Amino acid sequence: MSLVVATTLLTIISSQEIVTADDSGWTSVAYSPVEISINQFHSWEFEFINGDGATQPCAQLTINGGMPSHNHGLPTEPAITPATNKGRYVLEGIKFHMPGTWQLVLNCEDNERNKHDFTITFDI
């Protein structure tokens, strides 16, 4: 498995942590399973950090995804729930049903209604 993060400013990948940044200086940190297996349910965690380095909650958070080259979305409808830490979220019930290039797209609207968009691209 290889991970490639599509982002404008920053890309850091180390074991289970995937960091992406948007144009405003916010970052998204995704904590994925070490092994992403086909046809297995996974749980991921996400947190959002502002330009000052503080973890921030989203007033509204949506996560979409799919296989861009096949023009289809995710095969499941994962649930997003806030974790115990402010600004951290758990995505449960996500599954990838075939090998290839996948994307997860995170859309976080902060309390001031600013939109922060992050795209994570990876191959299984």
Side-chain angles (χ1 to χ4, degrees):
M1 174 193 76
S2 64
L3 293 173
V4 176
V5 178
T7 182
T8 307
L9 298 176
L10 175 68
T11 300
I12 302 172
I13 301 175
S14 62
S15 65
Q16 296 182 44
E17 189 174 289
I18 306 165
V19 180
T20 59
D22 72 358
D23 292 330
S24 71
W26 274 49
T27 58
S28 164
V29 182
Y31 304 94
S32 71
V34 174
E35 291 291 325
I36 300 175
S37 302
I38 295 172
N39 287 323
Q40 299 292 318
F41 284 100
H42 303 277
S43 293
W44 292 49
E45 288 192 29
F46 298 93
E47 66 182 326
F48 301 93
I49 302 166
N50 68 17
D52 296 327
T55 301
Q56 294 294 305
C58 299
Q60 184 174 357
L61 174 62
T62 59
I63 298 180
N64 297 301
M67 294 185 84
S69 64
H70 288 248
N71 200 28
H72 68 72
L74 295 171
T76 60
E77 293 183 28
I80 305 167
T81 56
T84 54
N85 299 344
K86 178 182 167 185
R88 195 161 188 168
Y89 300 87
V90 177
L91 178 68
E92 296 179 296
I94 191 164
K95 179 170 71 168
F96 308 103
H97 68 286
M98 62 189 297
T101 301
W102 289 86
Q103 285 185 337
L104 291 179
V105 180
L106 314 174
N107 307 107
C108 173
E109 185 175 295
D110 65 26
N111 290 328
E112 286 82 39
R113 301 293 181 223
N114 298 308
K115 296 184 179 187
H116 306 278
D117 300 319
F118 308 92
T119 300
I120 301 169
T121 303
F122 54 96
D123 292 321
I124 301 176

